[in-house]
Amino acid sequence: MARAQVTDLVVVLPGILGSRLADAAGRAVWDLSGPALLRGLRGFTASAGALRLPKDTGDGDPGDGVVPVGLMPDLHALPGIWHPVDGYTDLLRWLERHFTLSVSDNLLTFPYDWRLSCRHGAERLKGRIDLELERWRASAPERRDARVVFLGHGMGGLVARHYVERLGGHEVTRRVITLGTPHRGSLLALSDLVDGGGRRDPEVGAFARSLPSLHQLAPDDACMEGPGGLARVRDLPGLPGVDEALLADAARFHTDLRSSPPRADLYAIAGTGQPTASTARYAEDRLALVSEGDGDGTVPLPAGAGPVAGSWAVYEQHGSLQNNRAVREALRGLLVEEAALPAEAGHLADPAPADPAPADPAPADPAARLGVRVPAVLPAGLPYEVTVTAPDDARLLMAELRPADGGRPVARPLRSLGGGRYAAAFPPPEPGAYRLSVGPVTALSLIRRSAL
């Protein structure tokens, strides 16, 4: 199949934890993915103190010599800071295979120091785009009017938006595409600040609480139960684990984005159908979930991006949105300037497993709507329990747990519990990183969830 023509510069921005970091000597300080993940996490405590940011970092650079050196290629996670996320290698290969894009030419990856403020990342992005777009436009006459298309996963979407909407990037931008970006924040980030990493590992907890970025991912809407009803986190002083100055600055960051007029077309793709924290309360020294809503398991719906040119909801977990087949079908239209774009928001469902290079992808099955609940981190010796919601009880569903190191997978049929609920349990897995796939017996790949 011929590759679709793309004359623009396409820039991929990962989410939090999605950029590899190295120190001034070139030694890796964050590069834990795939088979090395568990081993590296056990030793991360020794690095956490050195990576902690001073309180006065603000939007600046801490001067510790840490630099971003690339995107995470495979499954990565840091318990206490966000949930497991698949890497970006497969996405980049797909883009090169289906479009006239090359990572050495007009397909750019933008790793950034995910510890720092989104404003800092956006300033670095501006410098990179100034250089790369001039190079690309000068490389051929037909490219002299080329613009930039941003593809940002999670926090990467916030970095791109700040550049476009606050730093003049709209002048060279064709569109911004976000995947699972927490435009109004996520209770997961607040949970990690309050009692996530700190209860398991004090060093990781202190590191997490020093990060402007994690505070900028905390919810910016009224989602906390307070004496007068639902309140914003910033209006509940004294909440342990959060830096009130960083939280106030995060509120200004989101206010600035909301108050900026639309300057470039924004297309928001989000996950749906997955149980996602929507409100919480702080009680008995814990941040307790009060209710669950719709979302990708990490970022709730509605995403709150403000005025958008188009939005789609895909039945997928946050960590695998960039590798979801239905998302990629949407990208086919969004990356090609001449392609007709859907006129309104809609729901997409991931169909049968994608072939590495499908010649004619099958249309999405709108009935394939599965919600998956599994533990992000499982203590050793406990069974791995999976619960699934579906539109009805008349389904034959299978769950497959596959080691991230490519080991032999284990499959289990899901039993119906009635009311569209299904469940399965795996024997206690060996310590390590795993991927879970859930789907029909004949098409096992509808929902992917990375887990430890």
Side-chain angles (χ1 to χ4, degrees):
M1 183 173 65
R3 296 192 298 166
Q5 183 72 25
V6 177
T7 57
D8 286 326
L9 200 64
V10 176
V11 183
V12 177
L13 298 90
I16 190 169
L17 301 176
S19 301
R20 297 158 44 224
L21 304 178
D23 63 16
R27 295 183 294 263
V29 293
W30 173 250
D31 194 4
L32 309 178
S33 65
L37 181 57
L38 180 65
R39 181 176 65 254
L41 288 176
R42 287 171 173 164
F44 184 77
T45 297
S47 305
L51 290 174
R52 191 186 311 168
L53 298 176
K55 289 186 69 66
D56 61 351
T57 299
D59 293 327
D61 190 300
D64 56 8
V66 173
V67 294
V69 294
L71 269 56
M72 280 293 200
D74 204 346
L75 174 65
H76 53 279
L78 180 55
I81 304 180
W82 221 237
H83 275 182
V85 175
D86 271 344
Y88 299 95
T89 297
D90 191 63
L91 171 64
L92 296 173
R93 288 174 177 168
W94 180 83
L95 290 169
E96 287 189 306
R97 191 165 61 241
H98 292 278
F99 304 90
T100 55
L101 294 169
S102 169
V103 292
S104 61
D105 207 353
N106 60 332
L107 176 59
L108 302 184
T109 59
F110 182 74
Y112 56 92
D113 189 338
W114 45 263
R115 302 175 303 159
L116 307 181
S117 163
C118 292
R119 298 188 192 95
H120 180 274
E123 289 282 359
R124 285 192 61 253
L125 179 61
K126 175 178 170 58
R128 178 81 182 277
I129 295 302
D130 288 347
L131 292 174
E132 296 287 359
L133 186 57
E134 181 180 5
R135 171 194 61 80
W136 177 243
R137 284 176 169 175
S139 64
E142 64 272 18
R143 300 168 185 164
R144 63 180 179 272
D145 295 323
R147 298 173 72 79
V148 184
V149 176
F150 292 102
L151 178 54
H153 182 226
M155 191 169 76
L158 296 178
V159 173
R161 281 190 65 194
H162 187 80
Y163 162 68
V164 170
E165 299 176 23
R166 305 292 299 181
L167 301 182
H170 64 282
E171 296 180 353
V172 298
T173 300
R174 187 172 309 282
R175 59 182 59 107
V176 178
I177 308 165
T178 64
L179 305 179
T181 290
H183 296 285
R184 296 298 299 268
S186 165
L187 273 169
L188 172 63
L190 181 63
S191 176
D192 288 336
L193 287 169
V194 173
D195 55 24
R199 293 184 183 274
R200 288 188 290 269
D201 189 324
E203 283 294 324
V204 173
F207 165 66
R209 292 163 180 171
S210 76
L211 305 184
S213 57
L214 194 58
H215 286 77
Q216 289 171 344
L217 294 178
D220 191 52
D221 54 359
C223 64
M224 290 291 295
E225 284 196 352
L230 290 179
R232 289 179 170 85
V233 178
R234 63 178 183 267
D235 296 330
L236 295 176
L239 193 64
V242 300
D243 184 307
E244 292 188 7
L246 288 179
L247 199 62
D249 183 67
R252 290 190 290 272
F253 170 79
H254 286 282
T255 298
D256 287 345
L257 287 184
R258 286 198 304 273
S259 62
S260 297
R263 298 180 183 274
D265 287 344
L266 173 61
Y267 294 86
I269 300 176
T272 188
Q274 315 308 308
T276 307
S278 58
T279 62
R281 76 163 68 94
Y282 185 75
E284 300 180 354
D285 199 31
R286 299 285 301 186
L287 187 71
L289 174 68
V290 176
S291 65
E292 288 184 335
D294 195 6
D296 64 15
T298 299
V299 178
L301 285 175
V308 296
S311 63
W312 296 269
V314 180
Y315 284 81
E316 182 61 273
Q317 298 271 349
H318 177 84
S320 295
L321 277 167
Q322 71 277 23
N323 294 326
N324 179 281
R325 180 175 175 180
V327 169
R328 294 181 177 180
E329 291 306 305
L331 291 179
R332 288 180 186 273
L334 291 170
L335 293 178
V336 180
E337 181 183 354
E338 298 81 6
L341 299 176
E344 58 187 29
H347 283 73
L348 299 175
D350 191 2
D355 182 82
D360 186 16
D365 175 8
R369 298 176 177 179
L370 304 182
V372 177
R373 186 197 299 273
V374 292
V377 179
L378 182 71
L382 294 182
Y384 189 78
E385 298 181 345
V386 181
T387 57
V388 175
T389 57
D392 53 55
D393 298 331
R395 297 186 178 242
L396 295 176
L397 299 177
M398 185 76 71
E400 181 184 270
L401 192 63
R402 180 181 295 274
D405 62 5
R408 185 176 180 179
V410 178
R412 289 287 185 276
L414 284 102
R415 67 185 186 281
S416 176
L417 305 179
R421 297 180 300 120
Y422 297 79
F426 292 86
E430 293 295 321
Y434 293 83
R435 287 186 176 89
L436 176 74
S437 298
V438 176
V441 172
T442 57
L444 179 62
S445 196
L446 291 179
I447 296 290
R448 304 172 188 84
R449 173 63 187 227
S450 305
L452 293 176

